[in-house]
Amino acid sequence: MVRIAIGLLTGLLLVCSAQAQQASRLDEIIKRGTLRVGMTGDYRPFTYLDKTSSTFAGFDVDMAQALGKALGVKVEFVQTAWPQLMKDFEADSFDIAMGGISITLDRQKKGLFSTPIMREGKTPIARCADQGKYQTLADIDKQGTRVIVNPGGTNERFARANVKNAEIKVFGDNVTIFDEIAKGDADLMITDSSETRYQQKLHPGVLCAVHPDKPFDFAEKAYWMQRDVGLKAFVDQWLHLATEDGTYQKIYAAWFE
């Protein structure tokens, strides 16, 4: 029994020693001097990549810069895309994914989410003249209705789960997808209520958000990190302080109000 106890204790000490010697990702980021942020660059107002200047702009771009400042490191933006977001995350192409990332259980299996930064859900956006036609999923899911989606994300998954009779049109460019509705090549899109509000501002009198205050489902947005407790604790504390000192509200107002 004594030998067994000594063996177990020795094994435990070896495990603890190995864990102590293994640097956390937070330590690695600080030592590296760079925070790698994954972004699609096609989801206004959260993130947009100007291909001419190769620069990112948006709500989560400003939030990423604020996080980098809090860490005392530079921010390196890594472009990804919704269909390959999971693969890029698993390949460790970035430390954290930002840019309108919705919390999902599939993503939770692969990493850790910060405390939520926004609560919303899926809701339609259509031409203002047709706003009253698409109040419910039953109104939408009829033959002859053309529902447009961007590929690979939660919008496409929601549409395919709830639309069985209407036509689903997949459109690859998430930046110009709303122009397809405006010019009549699609009838509506079902997306996050924050995006419908923003696109309504960009297309005044042309596109209208349909009951964005009462979305079809519940969702939250957060920041998706590689599985490191130290990094998550830092990001959560930073978000708490940013909310309390007005930093979050200032950045939010600049893009959503």
Side-chain angles (χ1 to χ4, degrees):
M1 290 294 292
V2 174
R3 289 181 179 179
I4 294 175
I6 293 175
L8 290 173
L9 179 60
T10 301
L12 179 61
L13 290 173
L14 288 172
V15 170
C16 292
S17 176
Q19 289 178 340
Q21 293 175 6
Q22 183 179 4
S24 74
R25 184 172 293 267
L26 176 62
D27 295 331
E28 292 175 4
I29 290 168
I30 294 172
K31 183 177 180 181
R32 186 198 310 147
T34 304
L35 175 69
R36 300 173 304 157
V37 179
M39 284 192 167
T40 62
D42 66 350
Y43 187 11
R44 288 172 167 166
F46 295 96
T47 172
Y48 173 69
L49 175 62
D50 186 329
K51 295 181 180 179
T52 302
S53 61
S54 297
T55 57
F56 285 86
F59 168 77
D60 274 334
V61 176
D62 291 350
M63 289 293 286
Q65 294 290 5
L67 174 57
K69 183 178 179 181
L71 284 163
V73 301
K74 295 181 180 179
V75 175
E76 176 189 343
F77 293 106
V78 179
Q79 187 181 13
T80 183
W82 297 111
Q84 67 190 56
L85 177 63
M86 183 75 78
K87 291 182 180 179
D88 287 345
F89 186 90
E90 292 178 314
D92 195 17
S93 298
F94 38 79
D95 304 302
I96 186 170
M98 304 174 72
I101 305 294
S102 296
I103 296 175
T104 69
L105 293 178
D106 285 341
R107 290 169 181 165
Q108 183 71 46
K109 292 175 184 177
K110 304 295 182 179
L112 297 174
F113 278 104
S114 69
T115 54
I117 63 165
M118 196 174 295
R119 176 175 177 167
E120 57 178 1
K122 300 298 183 188
T123 201
I125 182 169
R127 290 181 294 280
C128 292
D130 297 334
Q131 187 178 14
K133 292 172 59 177
Y134 305 119
Q135 294 293 308
T136 68
L137 285 170
D139 293 337
I140 293 168
D141 194 19
K142 295 178 179 178
Q143 290 187 356
T145 302
R146 299 164 298 170
V147 179
I148 196 166
V149 300
N150 58 306
T154 58
N155 289 340
E156 183 179 13
R157 286 201 292 274
F158 183 89
R160 296 200 182 280
N162 293 278
V163 175
K164 305 300 180 183
N165 299 303
E167 177 187 358
I168 295 177
K169 298 181 63 175
V170 178
F171 190 79
D173 187 353
N174 200 37
V175 175
T176 62
I177 193 169
F178 297 94
D179 296 333
E180 297 296 298
I181 305 170
K183 65 186 181 181
D185 288 344
D187 296 312
L188 72 142
M189 180 176 180
I190 304 173
T191 186
D192 297 327
S193 55
S194 58
E195 186 174 35
T196 65
R197 287 191 179 99
Y198 182 74
Q199 290 297 330
Q200 179 177 260
K201 287 174 58 177
L202 292 184
H203 301 83
V206 179
L207 297 182
C208 286
V210 181
H211 52 65
D213 294 327
K214 295 180 180 180
F216 291 139
D217 66 353
F218 164 79
E220 289 179 317
K221 294 192 184 303
Y223 300 137
W224 188 29
M225 294 163 279
Q226 298 290 344
R227 194 175 285 120
D228 182 82
V229 175
L231 179 59
K232 173 176 166 52
F234 186 93
V235 173
D236 285 347
Q237 186 63 57
W238 163 72
L239 280 172
H240 171 67
L241 295 175
T243 301
E244 294 299 322
D245 68 16
T247 300
Y248 176 89
Q249 288 83 350
K250 184 178 180 180
I251 296 175
Y252 182 91
W255 292 99
F256 289 97
E257 296 179 359

